[in-house]
């Protein structure tokens, strides 16, 4: 399996946890970038193979090397959960060597129908988790996701407690950014949400993000409040996962952070702008009621995009139809 975006990788984790629980004698090997290894730590019968995209496994010759490297592990079947050119090449090589293989169907046609402006077909599409399950079914391993397994909350290290304190407060994670602007809740409204939640001293609000610009923004948001802390740039990725596992709730855009929190069994509230959970990206085991979407009466072309990368004129303010009060009420409801 070879995956790229953080959300894509995180969405495989609950399915793989279900697999090892239901097939304890079968060994899994996950192929992905080294950065994502912490996602899979502690999953029994699962090995992680680091894909070296910059050197050993670069380009077509690198993919041949990747195939040979992985073949040495005596692989019996290949599950392509990404369905991009590189994973297709490796999958084909396994098929040519006589191994079973199955590839995820991304449902591109259905997504086009959901996001097109004219003759839109507005209906729930299969989730990515259902699509991943189908891949394993094709390989002869039917899966049941109805009783999911999640890792235990990690005991937080002294490094993390030094930053967040160890008061007995409700831990609210907020990840206010996404890859595309059309998926980001307006900053002035997010500040209102944070200010309202910070009024209650029983709440501790932890802000997540990355990159210099995001860190600066989060610093300016957290500065006026004693119980709002910017975590961006302060801890390593593995520590961030440990901290997220301890949250009472995560408030996120349609982004990787939502899927990371969900794979750790945390309650997730998501905010949706140009995209919509009907495309299949509602975080794992989360209620549709916790996905707050922009008003389709006011903006009938929504969703305009599967990933948020398509800009539709006049739709820049669609997320303003989600009021800060709606968001705050939803967060409070989840931690009460």
């Amino acid at each position: 399996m070879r995956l790229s975006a953080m959300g894509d990788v995180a969405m495989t984790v609950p399915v793989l946890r279900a697999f090892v629980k239901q097939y304890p004698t079968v060994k899994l090997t996950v192929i992905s970038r080294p950065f994502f290894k912490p996602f899979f730590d502690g999953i029994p019968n699962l090995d992680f193979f680091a894909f070296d995209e910059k050197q050993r496994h670069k380009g077509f010759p690198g993919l041949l090397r990747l195939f040979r490297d992985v073949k040495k592990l005596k692989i019996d079947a290949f599950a392509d959960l990404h369905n991009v050119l590189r994973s297709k090449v490796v999958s084909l090589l396994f098929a040519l060597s006589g191994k079973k293989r199955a590839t995820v169907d991304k449902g591109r046609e259905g997504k086009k129908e959901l996001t097109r402006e004219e003759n839109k077909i507005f209906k729930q599409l299969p989730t990515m988790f259902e699509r991943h399950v189908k891949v394993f079914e094709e390989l002869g391993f039917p899966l049941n996701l109805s009783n999911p397994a999640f890792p235990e909350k990690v005991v937080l290290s002294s490094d993390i407690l030094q930053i967040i304190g160890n008061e007995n407060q409700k831990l609210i994670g907020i990840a206010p950014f996404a890859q595309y602007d059309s998926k980001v809740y307006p900053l002035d409204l997010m500040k209102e949400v944070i200010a309202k939640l910070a009024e209650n001293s029983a709440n501790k609000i932890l802000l997540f993000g990355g990159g210099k610009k995001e860190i600066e923004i989060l610093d300016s948001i957290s500065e006026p409040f004693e119980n709002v802390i910017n975590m961006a740039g302060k801890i390593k990725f593995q520590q961030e996962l440990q901290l997220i596992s301890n949250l009472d709730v995560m408030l996120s855009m349609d982004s990787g952070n939502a899927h990371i929190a969900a794979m750790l069994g945390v309650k997730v509230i998501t905010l949706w702008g140009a995209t919509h959970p009907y495309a299949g990206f509602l975080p794992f085991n989360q209620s549709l009621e916790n996905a707050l979407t922009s008003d389709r009466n006011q903006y009938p072309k929504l969703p305009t995009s599967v990933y948020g990368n398509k800009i539709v004129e006049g739709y820049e303010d669609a997320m303003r139809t989600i009021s800060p009060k709606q968001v705050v009420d939803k967060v409070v409801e989840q931690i009460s």
Side-chain angles (χ1 to χ4, degrees), residues 22-42:
Q22 290 163 46
Y23 298 97
T25 60
V26 179
K27 180 92 171 282
L28 289 179
T29 299
V30 170
I31 306 165
S32 194
R33 291 174 181 155
F35 180 79
F36 296 123
K37 185 180 182 297
F39 283 3
F40 305 95
D41 287 350

Side-chain angles (χ1 to χ4, degrees), residues 43 53 103 144 146 159 187 197 237 283 291 304 308 315 317 321 328:
I43 299 179
E53 65 181 324
T103 300
N144 184 347
S146 62
D159 290 357
L187 203 56
L197 291 170
F237 182 54
T304 56
Y315 274 57
D317 288 335
T321 59
V328 171

Side-chain angles (χ1 to χ4, degrees), residues 1-13 16 30-34 36 39-40 48 51 53 79-84 86-87 104 106 128 132:
M1 287 162 275
R2 208 298 258 134
L3 311 128
S4 65
M6 195 176 286
D8 290 343
V9 185
M11 281 188 283
T12 68
V13 174
L16 299 182
V30 170
I31 306 165
S32 194
R33 291 174 181 155
F36 296 123
F39 283 3
F40 305 95
F48 185 88
F51 169 67
E53 65 181 324
D80 178 4
L81 300 184
H82 197 31
N83 193 357
V84 294
R86 285 194 288 207
S87 62
V104 69
K106 290 189 170 177
M128 281 310 296
H132 290 154

Side-chain angles (χ1 to χ4, degrees), residues 51-192:
F51 169 67
D52 181 4
E53 65 181 324
K54 289 184 178 160
Q55 290 183 355
R56 181 164 178 78
H57 304 132
K58 186 180 179 182
F60 184 71
L63 291 180
L64 292 173
R65 274 193 292 273
L66 176 64
F67 165 67
R68 287 197 292 269
D69 290 346
V70 177
K71 197 181 173 197
K72 287 176 192 166
L73 305 175
K74 298 181 180 174
I75 301 294
D76 295 302
F78 188 85
D80 178 4
L81 300 184
H82 197 31
N83 193 357
V84 294
L85 186 58
R86 285 194 288 207
S87 62
K88 282 179 183 174
V89 168
V90 178
S91 177
L92 178 63
L93 291 169
F94 272 103
L96 292 172
S97 71
K99 304 298 181 186
K100 276 188 183 178
R101 57 114 178 224
T103 300
V104 69
D105 172 12
K106 290 189 170 177
R108 291 187 175 95
E109 197 53 46
K111 288 171 182 173
K112 272 182 199 166
E113 292 169 351
L114 177 68
T115 55
R116 66 192 179 197
E117 293 186 24
E118 304 296 324
N119 304 315
K120 184 185 290 289
I121 300 175
F122 185 67
K123 67 172 185 181
Q124 175 71 61
L125 298 175
T127 68
M128 281 310 296
F129 311 102
E130 290 166 335
R131 295 184 189 280
H132 290 154
V133 164
K134 211 166 175 189
V135 172
F136 288 110
E137 272 177 14
E138 280 182 47
L139 294 173
F141 299 97
L143 288 174
N144 184 347
L145 299 183
S146 62
N147 187 22
F150 296 106
E152 294 289 319
K153 284 186 179 188
V154 178
V155 176
L156 294 176
S157 67
S158 56
D159 290 357
I160 297 173
L161 291 174
Q162 212 169 343
I163 299 168
I164 71 167
N166 56 3
E167 301 95 339
N168 190 22
Q169 292 166 295
K170 294 287 185 183
L171 295 182
I172 301 168
I174 299 183
F177 302 109
Q179 189 176 0
Y180 299 106
D181 289 345
S182 68
K183 301 202 291 186
V184 177
Y185 194 54
L187 203 56
D188 59 315
L189 301 187
M190 184 55 86
K191 284 178 180 176
E192 281 184 49

Side-chain angles (χ1 to χ4, degrees), residues 181-192 271-274 292-295 298-299 302 314-327:
D181 289 345
S182 68
K183 301 202 291 186
V184 177
Y185 194 54
L187 203 56
D188 59 315
L189 301 187
M190 184 55 86
K191 284 178 180 176
E192 281 184 49
L271 306 183
W272 303 74
L292 302 181
T293 56
S294 302
D295 188 348
Q298 209 170 320
Y299 293 95
L302 290 175
Y315 274 57
E316 298 83 2
D317 288 335
M319 284 187 96
R320 289 191 175 275
T321 59
I322 305 170
S323 73
K325 185 181 186 307
Q326 267 180 288
V327 180

